[in-house]
Each structure stands twice: as C-alpha cells, then as structure tokens.
Amino acid sequence: MYKTNRDAVNEIYSEYLNVIQMDHPVQSVLVEARNKLLNLWHYELLILQSSINQWKMLLNDPSLNFRRGLCAKLYKLKQSDIMKQLDLTSGAVSNLFNESTKPIWPRPFQLSVLFEHPWQLVNYEFPDPNSYHESPEYFDDGVAKKVHLKDLANERLKVTSIHGYVIIDAQKLFQQELTAVTGRWVTTYPEFDYFEFFLSNEPLIDKTLRETLQKPFPESKHMITTYRPFKSLTKRALWVIIPKNEALPSYEGMLHELIEYREKTEYHKLKS
C-alpha cells in the first residue's frame, strides 16, 4: 500500500505543478491545487519533502500563506501550538495564514524555528535567497534556550510542540564543530519525537558516537543525517528519533520514507 500512497501523493503534486507552470493560471484552479496539498497528512507531506527539488518548488510558491500552511501541516502544528510558542491570540495566528502579516520581533525568528525554514522564506512575501545560507534565528534573544547535552532528555518532557536550543557543550559529541551547535525538539508527531542537531558538515557516525548519543537520549532507536531545506548540502541535520507509538501504520511508513526515499539522507540504527 505504501507505493500506492506515494504515487497518489506525487500525483497531487504533479497536478499543482501543471497549474503553476501555466502562463496565466486560473486563480480558482490554483487555489484548488494548493488546497489539495494542504489537505495531505503530515506523513504525506514528508513524502514530498523527500525530493529536494519538489520541496523547493513548493516553498518557492508566490503565496506566503501557502508556504506557511505547508510548513505547519508538515510538522502537524495546530493553531494552539503556534499561539503558545509565539504568544499570540487565535486571531493573530489566523492572520498568519489568511493575510501576509509579519509577527512583531522576535516572533519572525520563532516562527522560523517552528517551521525549520529560513526566516525570510516564512515571513516575507518576497524573500531574499541570499539570506537562506545562515541561521541567525536561534541566537536572537528569547528564541532558543541554552542547555547542556545532559539536560536535553529532560527538556523533551517540557516541549509540547517544537522548541529551539543552543547546545553549549555539543563539541563533546561533534568534535568537528568549532562553534555553538543549535538544534530543536520536535514533539508534534504522534508516531515519534526527535531531536535535530544542526551541523556544519556530515558527522562521522561510528560506535563511539552512537553510544555517546544514547546517554542524553536513552529511549532513542533510530538516527538519520539529512539535508537542511534551502541550506548548502554541506550543512547537515542529525535526527535522534524516539518512538512514541510504534503501533501506528504511519510510524513504519515515516521511517520507511526517511530510510528509502529521502534524498541526501543516511540511516543508522541505534538499538533494536
């Protein structure tokens, strides 16, 4: 069934692509094509993100509200999650998805951390692509919390959706990193939680690193290193994955997607 599901998701993307490549697309047809994408489940949007080019095409859509909507759906972020993380009213959050509004500072950076996309891409109608290469958002006051590696497991219990961190002593794990390492807990999926480290290069995955990783993440079972959307391919994300509900069919499907189909991605088993 998984192949059938992948084909169905990619067919919806193809319909959208056909519309936006028209010289003068009919607005109602374009809205319908976007809405079909926004009606996909989070694990179905993960299928589209497996292709770097497909995801870039989607997030280069001229509609800022559509870009924001895709990011929110991908991470299964509810309106209440965004209200809490950005300290906004329900009306202000609704405006994020119905009007091209930019939150008051530092919320644009907080929104970028929630969506894991360059801050201009999710805050400006006409973002500057030159701004995508750096990640200043985690270092702005009030956006990310500074922590030690040993405290990351306890932080997970405090996170109700997504939260960013600056890891003070990450060099204990990643000796090739010369500056502070940022990362975030993602706890919005019913299938699993994961902590995502943002690294400057592909790390050396050996027995020592796997064993050392399991000290701050004793419940972890899987790990991937993967590309960061809209960043240089030398910049890598390392996900430490902790199962939450392995009985869900989507659990195996999401793992399968990450292992078999996601481009520029390496999978490593931490324990059985």
Side-chain angles (χ1 to χ4, degrees), residues 25-260:
V26 177
Q27 189 63 24
S28 60
V29 176
L30 179 56
V31 169
E32 182 182 2
R34 286 173 177 158
N35 285 340
K36 282 186 178 180
L37 288 162
L38 291 175
N39 284 332
L40 293 173
W41 293 92
H42 60 283
Y43 50 82
E44 293 174 322
L45 282 176
L46 193 68
I47 290 171
L48 293 181
Q49 200 188 44
S50 284
S51 164
I52 295 172
N53 288 335
Q54 280 186 351
W55 195 248
K56 281 188 174 181
M57 181 68 72
L58 288 169
L59 268 292
N60 279 322
D61 187 280
S63 168
L64 173 60
N65 303 325
F66 175 65
R67 301 198 302 262
R68 287 173 173 172
L70 278 179
C71 291
K73 290 282 291 194
L74 173 67
Y75 291 112
K76 202 173 170 57
L77 281 161
K78 302 185 294 293
Q79 179 165 314
S80 58
D81 296 324
I82 299 172
M83 286 171 60
K84 182 175 181 179
Q85 291 297 321
L86 272 61
D87 191 23
L88 293 174
T89 64
S90 60
V93 174
S94 294
N95 285 343
L96 286 175
F97 299 97
N98 295 304
E99 301 175 13
S100 296
T101 55
K102 183 161 73 79
I104 298 171
W105 212 263
R107 292 179 185 131
F109 277 4
Q110 292 173 306
L111 192 65
S112 177
V113 170
L114 279 178
F115 291 169
E116 181 30 25
H117 279 72
W119 75 276
Q120 284 204 18
L121 188 68
V122 296
N123 286 285
Y124 289 165
E125 285 191 273
F126 305 104
D128 181 354
N130 290 322
S131 72
Y132 298 169
H133 305 302
E134 300 304 323
S135 302
E137 47 269 19
Y138 285 82
F139 298 97
D140 196 75
D141 186 43
V143 175
K145 182 177 180 180
K146 292 183 179 179
V147 295
H148 290 88
L149 279 169
K150 64 180 177 61
D151 298 322
L152 285 176
N154 290 333
E155 285 295 320
R156 176 188 172 213
L157 303 176
K158 305 173 187 177
V159 177
T160 56
S161 55
I162 297 171
H163 201 286
Y165 297 89
V166 177
I167 302 102
I168 298 168
D169 55 348
Q171 282 77 15
K172 291 179 180 177
L173 274 177
F174 310 108
Q175 296 179 9
Q176 80 278 11
E177 297 297 322
L178 302 177
T179 58
V181 170
T182 58
R184 60 187 197 139
W185 269 117
V186 177
T187 64
T188 46
Y189 293 148
E191 296 84 359
F192 55 72
D193 294 340
Y194 67 93
F195 190 85
E196 186 174 22
F197 291 95
F198 301 130
L199 307 175
S200 58
N201 290 288
E202 181 76 26
L204 172 63
I205 308 296
D206 56 11
K207 182 180 179 182
T208 301
L209 179 61
R210 287 196 294 269
E211 289 178 349
T212 309
L213 267 172
Q214 288 195 273
K215 291 177 182 176
F217 305 103
E219 298 175 78
S220 59
K221 286 191 176 182
H222 312 278
M223 175 177 63
I224 65 167
T225 59
T226 189
Y227 78 96
R228 293 188 65 190
F230 295 92
K231 303 292 185 190
S232 161
L233 290 179
T234 60
K235 294 185 182 293
R236 303 290 284 168
L238 185 149
W239 298 13
V240 183
I241 299 172
I242 299 172
K244 198 152 57 178
N245 190 344
E246 297 177 77
L248 289 172
S250 50
Y251 170 81
E252 288 295 339
M254 290 174 74
L255 272 184
H256 186 66
E257 183 66 34
L258 294 171
I259 295 167
E260 295 294 332

